[in-house]
Amino acid sequence: MPEDAPVNIGAMLSSPFRAQRRVLEIQTKLHHRAVADPGCRFGDLFNLVVDPAFLAVAWERVRENKGARSAGVDGRTVHGIERSAHGAAGLLEELRADVKARTFRPLPVKERLIPKANGKLRRLGIPTVRDRVVQAALKLVLEPILEADFQPCSYGFRPERRAQDAIEEIRNYATNPRSYTWVFEGDIAACFDEIDHTALMELVRRRIVDRRVLSLVKAFLKAGLLDELDAIRDTSTGTPQGGILSPLLANVALSVLDEHFTGLWQAHGSNASRTRFRQRGGATYRLVRYADDFVVMVKGTREQALRLFDEVGGVLSRVGLRLAPDKTHVVHIDEGFDFLGFRIQRHQQWGSDRHLIYSYPSRKSRATVKRKVKEATRHIPNQTADELFRQLNRITRGWALYFRHGASKAAFQDLDHFLWWRSLAWLVKKHPKRSKKWILRRYYPGGKWWPEANGVEIRPPGWTAITRYRYRGNKILTPWALRPETGIS
């Protein structure tokens, strides 16, 4: 849409398919241009950030986000804005005018400390709704361009890529004939809090030269934090975890690690030269990264894997990051290691002499889901049985679907057992004056094994079919890889 064209954000909001189609067309053009010309630097993107279609789609992304009910420092929520006199269209019109006039200034991010499973606290930043919309619009414009440069070894917070793809990549490298048997488990200390802004902006400038867009990105990095004591702190480093733009910027910063190991791999030229290099005592490395969690698969010796402490640390220092020494380890694939909730380890196949690479829920993952079940089944007098059963199904179904592609049968059966006893204990507490026979007749009709109330039955993880995940390798397409049927050239 030309700069001076009539603006009708309301029409775009009322026709989300039209807005999404326009955004997809432009994103596809941007992506194909970035892929076709690796040296291309984009200098006229600001008008897209304030385009009514991009703002309308950005609003929908913010509205559908899990944090839509959370308010920033201004106290406004998505629901409250929609119920206001001017509604979402009024907010977007006002926001568009402010951004175009260069008077838009992001407010400090409201910081909340979220307890982690290990007892420590994770910092979560909550921007205002206005800031979230601008961040979402920026991401819609920047992501298709920056995605063109990201390496296949990176999986986290990228479109069409899943955690299971990273797990299968590791299994692929560890399996014969590739046989990468040593594993460097890397843990980055406070990744989102310590990214160097100057280094990050230099990486962004490799592709983006529009100063107005760069100023917006920098403004969000420097917006500051309002902590739980209502004190505003400057943000001289890092990108707040919880912001819509933060995962993309973190991937930009961590791309230095991806490019380092990709460069090492490509330097050998061919598989034959890599084989000769290893025969002469060298080692080859393959990186698998999911956001700030990563492993380096090593085909060589333990000593060569240990040398990665200094090498990886040096690469990360270029963007202000560092390894956490107490959480970074070198292990053999036979010892196994935890990654993205899975335990990955080589075992002898039951009834066979073969040794295979297995992935299954880690002890920590199993303990976490059991803790959630236990918390849900604490006695709540006003909660009905069907409400509890729905809650338990939500907890266990998501967990089982995530792990259904691993060797998870034993873990599912163990959780089934725990779930059955916890639900029965809750029912006994719910009806203290009733006998167990009455409870069995009421909630286990016809001798059913799993309880039911008002048509809602507990669906145990053991009912989830375990299926093999299809390894996709380098065949994962972006949403813009294929042009939509719009005649885009």
Side-chain angles (χ1 to χ4, degrees), residues 180-346:
Y180 282 72
T181 54
W182 288 102
V183 183
F184 178 89
E185 297 180 78
D187 188 281
I188 301 175
C191 175
F192 281 83
D193 297 333
E194 297 186 5
I195 294 174
D196 182 82
H197 289 172
T198 303
L200 173 59
M201 293 304 297
E202 284 301 315
L203 291 171
V204 175
R205 287 190 186 96
R206 294 193 303 189
R207 280 295 197 172
I208 312 299
V209 292
D210 189 321
R211 292 185 177 180
R212 295 167 296 178
V213 172
L214 293 172
S215 294
L216 278 175
V217 174
K218 192 171 182 179
F220 282 115
L221 292 174
K222 301 291 186 183
L225 284 171
L226 180 71
D227 63 24
E228 294 186 319
L229 299 177
D230 290 335
I232 296 179
R233 303 200 318 268
D234 291 335
T235 48
S236 56
T237 61
T239 175
Q241 194 167 355
I244 292 176
L245 198 58
S246 294
L248 177 62
L249 295 179
N251 268 334
V252 171
L254 291 169
S255 66
V256 297
L257 195 61
D258 308 338
E259 292 167 2
H260 174 77
F261 283 99
T262 300
L264 291 179
W265 177 257
Q266 294 175 345
H268 295 288
S270 67
N271 287 332
S273 64
R274 294 183 190 102
T275 300
R276 290 193 296 270
F277 178 68
R278 287 191 293 263
Q279 289 172 346
R280 294 195 299 267
T284 51
Y285 309 93
R286 301 313 312 254
L287 172 73
V288 180
R289 182 176 67 80
Y290 191 94
D292 57 340
D293 293 321
F294 72 93
V295 297
V296 182
M297 308 296 294
V298 182
K299 193 167 187 177
T301 65
R302 183 175 184 273
E303 289 69 28
Q304 289 166 327
L306 288 170
R307 291 175 199 154
L308 290 174
F309 275 91
D310 293 332
E311 185 174 341
V312 171
V315 174
L316 292 175
S317 67
R318 288 157 45 190
V319 288
L321 298 176
R322 56 193 172 86
L323 288 172
D326 56 326
K327 297 181 181 179
T328 301
H329 311 282
V330 170
V331 298
H332 195 274
I333 193 65
D334 289 344
E335 300 174 62
F337 62 99
D338 293 349
F339 188 64
L340 303 180
F342 283 87
R343 182 72 178 175
I344 305 173
Q345 191 169 359
R346 183 165 64 183

Side-chain angles (χ1 to χ4, degrees), residues 3 7 18 22 41 47 53 61 72 85 92 162 274 291 339 379 409 424 430 437 452 463:
E3 181 70 16
V7 177
R18 176 186 168 197
R22 171 173 167 77
R41 303 175 75 192
N47 289 337
R61 298 281 173 91
L92 295 183
R162 311 181 188 103
R274 294 183 190 102
F339 188 64
H379 184 48
K409 182 178 180 180
L424 177 61
K430 180 70 175 176
K437 287 184 179 181
E452 178 183 345
W463 289 2

Side-chain angles (χ1 to χ4, degrees), residues 25-43 45 140-150 204 206-208 478 480-481 483 489:
E25 290 176 2
I26 296 174
Q27 286 182 319
T28 303
K29 289 180 179 179
L30 293 173
H31 183 70
H32 279 268
R33 183 181 172 191
V35 170
D37 185 1
C40 178
R41 303 175 75 192
F42 293 76
L45 300 173
L140 288 171
V141 174
L142 297 178
E143 188 174 42
I145 299 171
L146 299 176
E147 266 287 329
D149 296 332
F150 289 160
V204 175
R206 294 193 303 189
R207 280 295 197 172
I208 312 299
T478 70
W480 322 284
R483 292 175 173 83
S489 59

